[in-house]
Amino acid sequence: RNSIIEKDISIAEIVQKTMLKFDNTAGSVFRVEYRQKCVEKIGGDFFSVKNFSLNQTGIFIGDVTGHGVASALFTSLLKFITDELFTRYSNNPAEFLVALNSGISGYMSNYFLTGICAFIRSMEDKGKYELLFANGGHPSPVIVKSDGSVVITRSRGPLIGCSISPNYTNHIVSLESGDRLFLFTDGVTETTCAETGNILGSDDELLQLFSGAVQADTGMFLDRIIQGLNSYRGTETIEDDLLIIGINIP
């Protein structure tokens, strides 16, 4: 029986990885890279990418409570819902989250979701871009500027799936050529330090993590962040599912 369960989980792992696959070079000037690690073979972190045009991309990153089979099953449902919502809410991430909250009502009674819906688009001025996003109880985005400085875009919002009529806020942030945007789950911010027992958090330690990982290539940048988390934790063994997305602003 255990071998059958293991086989089923291995199949689920393949399905989940396939579900997250996308072509990061087609249909958009914004190149998206990601790194993901799960406590078990499958987990509750996921994302969706929608290229509306060459100059506008939508991204949703989500984190279902818990990890393992149950959380992973919900990600399949959520991936379907979020992909569909992108066709209706291409300019209003707050309304996107409200619709998502309604869409999962009744399906996840013992679970909840955190997430960020974000749209990145080119402006009329050459080299100028805009980030429009709404936050549903998720860690705030981080922007690494072209000069290497790090900015945490402080934002808050209610958890998704926990209330009937939540209110979400749209945030607008200006971006420039050479900037990089990072979205991630709380597997980053809740990493525990081996020496002190403190969690990384969303302040100085987080700034230090990103500023110490700066690389010209976004994929290598993400790898350095993973290495930094391993060093902070004192081991490669993770405590929670972990997903980091990096978006290069051309």
Side-chain angles (χ1 to χ4, degrees):
R1 182 176 176 82
N2 286 341
S3 63
I4 294 173
I5 293 172
E6 281 297 318
K7 183 178 179 181
D8 287 346
I9 290 174
S10 295
I11 292 171
E13 180 185 15
I14 294 169
V15 170
Q16 189 172 54
K17 286 181 177 178
T18 302
M19 183 178 70
L20 292 178
K21 277 187 176 179
F22 69 100
D23 186 350
N24 68 354
T25 62
S28 175
V29 298
F30 304 108
R31 186 177 179 86
V32 180
E33 301 271 359
Y34 77 97
R35 298 293 184 268
Q36 183 172 30
K37 297 180 73 174
C38 298
V39 173
E40 301 176 25
K41 287 187 175 182
I42 49 180
D45 295 354
F46 77 103
F47 68 97
S48 296
V49 176
K50 172 68 174 177
N51 292 327
F52 297 98
S53 68
L54 188 64
N55 297 308
Q56 182 175 354
T57 293
I59 300 171
F60 178 83
I61 182 171
D63 180 2
V64 180
T65 49
H67 45 76
V69 177
S71 296
L73 286 172
F74 279 126
T75 64
S76 298
L77 169 66
L78 290 163
K79 183 72 164 60
F80 173 80
I81 294 174
T82 53
D83 282 349
E84 192 276 331
L85 288 177
F86 273 131
T87 65
R88 292 192 279 138
Y89 301 97
S90 61
N91 289 296
N92 195 327
E95 287 301 315
F96 181 107
L97 294 187
V98 170
L100 177 57
N101 186 83
S102 299
I104 66 175
S105 178
Y107 291 105
M108 298 174 59
S109 56
N110 295 319
Y111 292 80
F112 62 83
L113 170 71
T114 72
I116 284 178
C117 177
F119 298 103
I120 312 166
R121 57 194 176 198
S122 304
M123 306 303 288
E124 290 184 3
D125 293 339
K126 187 176 180 180
K128 301 293 184 181
Y129 302 86
E130 183 180 83
L131 167 65
L132 175 66
F133 76 96
N135 190 333
H138 202 78
S140 295
V142 165
I143 298 168
V144 178
K145 305 297 290 181
S146 57
D147 63 2
S149 59
V150 182
V151 179
I152 301 173
T153 57
R154 305 287 182 186
S155 54
R156 306 176 77 174
L159 298 170
I160 306 167
C162 286
S163 58
I164 298 173
S165 302
N167 291 314
Y168 298 101
T169 303
N170 284 328
H171 302 270
I172 300 176
V173 179
S174 296
L175 299 171
E176 297 180 341
S177 292
D179 292 350
R180 273 173 285 195
L181 169 67
F182 292 91
L183 305 172
F184 44 88
T185 58
D186 63 7
V188 172
T189 53
E190 294 184 3
T191 296
T192 304
C193 178
E195 295 181 1
T196 65
N198 297 329
I199 63 169
L200 185 75
S202 301
D203 295 305
D204 291 345
E205 298 285 1
L206 185 65
L207 290 171
Q208 214 168 41
L209 174 71
F210 278 88
S211 61
V214 173
Q215 294 287 310
D217 178 79
T218 302
M220 292 177 63
F221 199 139
L222 292 173
D223 291 335
R224 288 288 297 274
I225 292 172
I226 295 292
Q227 292 169 12
L229 290 171
N230 290 343
S231 297
Y232 188 80
R233 194 188 303 111
T235 175
E236 293 186 6
T237 302
I238 59 174
E239 307 141 310
D240 189 11
D241 296 338
L242 172 67
L243 173 62
I244 314 175
I245 303 171
I247 304 100
N248 186 61
I249 309 302

